[in-house]
Amino acid sequence: LIKLLAAQMPLMELQQLPDFGEIFAVYDDQGMIMPRVLINAPTEGGGYDAYLLDYGEHIHLGGSEPIFGLPKDLASMPAEAIRCEVRNHEVAHMIPFLYQHVRLRILTNNGNDLQAEFLKESNMQSGSNCRLVHQSFASHGATKDKEITEALPEASFVSVAPRDLGSVVRIEVTYINSPTQIFVQFVEDATPLVWSKTDVAESEQKLKCAPRPLDVVLALYNDGFYYRAQIIDDNDGMFKIFYVDYGNTEFVTIDSLAHCNNARSLKPHRAVSCFIEGIKCISSSARGQSAECVEFLKSTILNSQFDVLLVSQLPDGYVIRLLDHYAQISTQMIKRGYVQP
């Protein structure tokens, strides 16, 4: 990580942004450093919200930054930044301690983040006003100013293999998001990720504290099974969640949410965003037609398995070409006035 941060590793430059959640490196020419990063979501006005997983910081990527692929062993190393809830200090009052070395007493470690007390008698040492601080490592691998705590549990899973553009793949449509965008799963992927109430330990079925945006949890669906979901928003006790293996969103209360351990949460997300080639949405003034088109797609392709051609790649998915008798669907939508060529 030190060599990577100092831009001292030979890496292959990427020509396009990777998928959401995939870890890569970005070169910061201002600081002449190369931190690890992943994309979270598109932002209004263009570009993407990205997360520096070794610093806990969000940055904006416009798409023109030099980015580089990482070898698997480096991409899979645990994040250095650990989210910490400080029990006895207002976060807003901790600004004077920014880039300072302080001491914390660890109270709890739930495997995802820490709860701690700020020791006010800390003998503070100045770090640097540089956004990303270089630190020397102790023999055990932690930075010398850190206190050792229990390691996160190990998790073993199979990474999603990259798909070759121009190849034909079999998909199952799991959600219709708009007249042009659908969410799919690749059929050859492993067994569906779904858990019954007996699969989830009783101690995990109730969250000990409210989840935060981007947390991955288990959500109890109306069929009585748990599915993986990511917290999108939180407003007055209602959580907007995104089902990461299916593509649909929902508003739920905390009573419907359960803890998702690392062995489950770290598995690659199965839902893949796909845009249908050759069509575009009509103007927002015809929302009724848009809703009717979604219903038309639900009746023709939802929960169906069929082959598609991968035309091009997007930061969060693919542009696909429908094949065989499904190829007529685009023409039918144009004739019905649902979409434009």
Side-chain angles (χ1 to χ4, degrees):
L1 284 176
I2 293 175
K3 287 184 178 180
L4 173 66
L5 190 64
Q8 295 175 351
M9 294 186 67
L11 299 173
M12 183 174 294
E13 187 167 2
L14 302 176
Q15 301 305 312
Q16 60 184 15
L17 287 169
D19 292 345
F20 286 6
E22 186 175 333
I23 297 171
F24 58 101
V26 58
Y27 182 68
D28 180 351
D29 55 2
Q30 194 172 21
M32 293 187 293
I33 53 177
M34 190 179 292
R36 293 192 301 172
V37 64
L38 56 84
I39 298 173
N40 282 322
T43 57
E44 293 183 10
Y48 296 89
D49 174 69
Y51 178 69
L52 301 176
L53 65 161
D54 295 316
Y55 300 93
E57 183 177 355
H58 288 263
I59 63 172
H60 179 267
L61 291 182
S64 60
E65 297 84 359
I67 57 175
F68 300 85
L70 293 176
K72 187 176 180 180
D73 58 342
L74 188 56
S76 61
M77 288 182 66
E80 290 287 301
I82 302 173
R83 186 171 59 188
C84 183
E85 180 182 340
V86 181
R87 289 273 189 88
N88 64 338
H89 216 70
E90 295 266 348
V91 173
H93 296 158
M94 295 188 70
I95 294 177
F97 307 121
L98 195 60
Y99 306 118
Q100 305 287 331
H101 299 170
V102 299
R103 293 177 61 81
L104 302 174
R105 176 179 287 112
I106 306 301
L107 302 176
T108 62
N109 174 8
N110 64 13
N112 289 318
D113 49 21
L114 303 173
Q115 292 188 345
E117 286 183 345
F118 180 79
L119 301 183
K120 297 181 181 180
E121 68 275 12
S122 295
N123 180 21
M124 294 187 301
Q125 304 174 37
S126 176
S128 166
N129 58 5
C130 171
R131 182 183 66 194
L132 305 178
V133 182
H134 298 250
Q135 295 288 346
S136 58
F137 281 75
S139 58
H140 47 65
T143 50
K144 293 180 178 178
D145 56 312
K146 296 292 193 297
E147 198 173 322
I148 301 299
T149 186
E150 184 183 357
L152 295 178
E154 292 185 2
S156 176
F157 58 88
V158 178
S159 298
V160 177
R163 312 284 170 172
D164 295 327
L165 298 181
S167 63
V168 175
V169 297
R170 193 158 188 84
I171 63 168
E172 179 174 347
V173 180
T174 57
Y175 183 66
I176 311 295
N177 192 51
S178 75
T180 59
Q181 184 191 24
I182 61 177
F183 282 89
V184 309
Q185 291 181 358
F186 293 114
V187 172
E188 66 268 26
D189 283 346
T191 308
L193 297 174
V194 55
W195 296 270
S196 67
K197 290 184 177 180
T198 56
D199 295 329
V200 180
E202 189 173 343
S203 60
E204 295 181 338
Q205 291 185 15
K206 294 295 181 183
L207 294 178
K208 296 178 181 178
C209 57
R212 302 178 179 90
L214 301 182
D215 281 355
V216 175
V217 295
L218 294 180
L220 187 63
Y221 200 59
N222 55 24
D223 61 359
F225 288 89
Y226 283 102
Y227 298 87
R228 295 192 304 171
Q230 189 167 40
I231 304 296
I232 302 300
D233 196 12
D234 162 21
N235 191 3
D236 294 332
M238 292 296 294
F239 297 91
K240 183 180 181 181
I241 60 173
F242 172 75
Y243 287 98
V244 297
D245 299 311
Y246 294 88
N248 52 314
T249 59
E250 189 177 30
F251 287 91
V252 300
T253 64
I254 195 171
D255 293 334
S256 301
L257 302 179
H259 175 67
C260 187
N261 59 39
N262 285 351
R264 293 167 177 157
S265 67
L266 294 179
K267 294 179 185 292
H269 298 173
R270 297 278 175 82
V272 180
S273 169
C274 292
F275 286 85
I276 302 172
E277 181 196 37
I279 57 175
K280 64 179 181 179
C281 289
I282 53 179
S283 64
S284 58
S285 60
R287 291 179 180 172
Q289 285 182 304
S290 177
E292 187 176 320
C293 182
V294 168
E295 293 303 316
F296 170 74
L297 290 175
K298 286 181 179 179
S299 66
T300 53
I301 63 174
L302 185 61
N303 299 324
S304 299
Q305 293 186 6
F306 50 88
D307 293 335
V308 298
L309 177 74
L310 300 181
V311 177
S312 61
Q313 191 167 11
L314 302 171
D316 58 342
Y318 296 92
V319 174
I320 59 172
R321 181 181 303 162
L322 304 181
L323 303 175
D324 304 324
H325 70 276
Y326 289 99
Q328 304 172 7
I329 291 178
S330 297
T331 304
Q332 292 172 358
M333 289 194 293
I334 293 172
K335 287 182 177 179
R336 290 169 180 257
Y338 295 150
V339 294
Q340 296 176 341

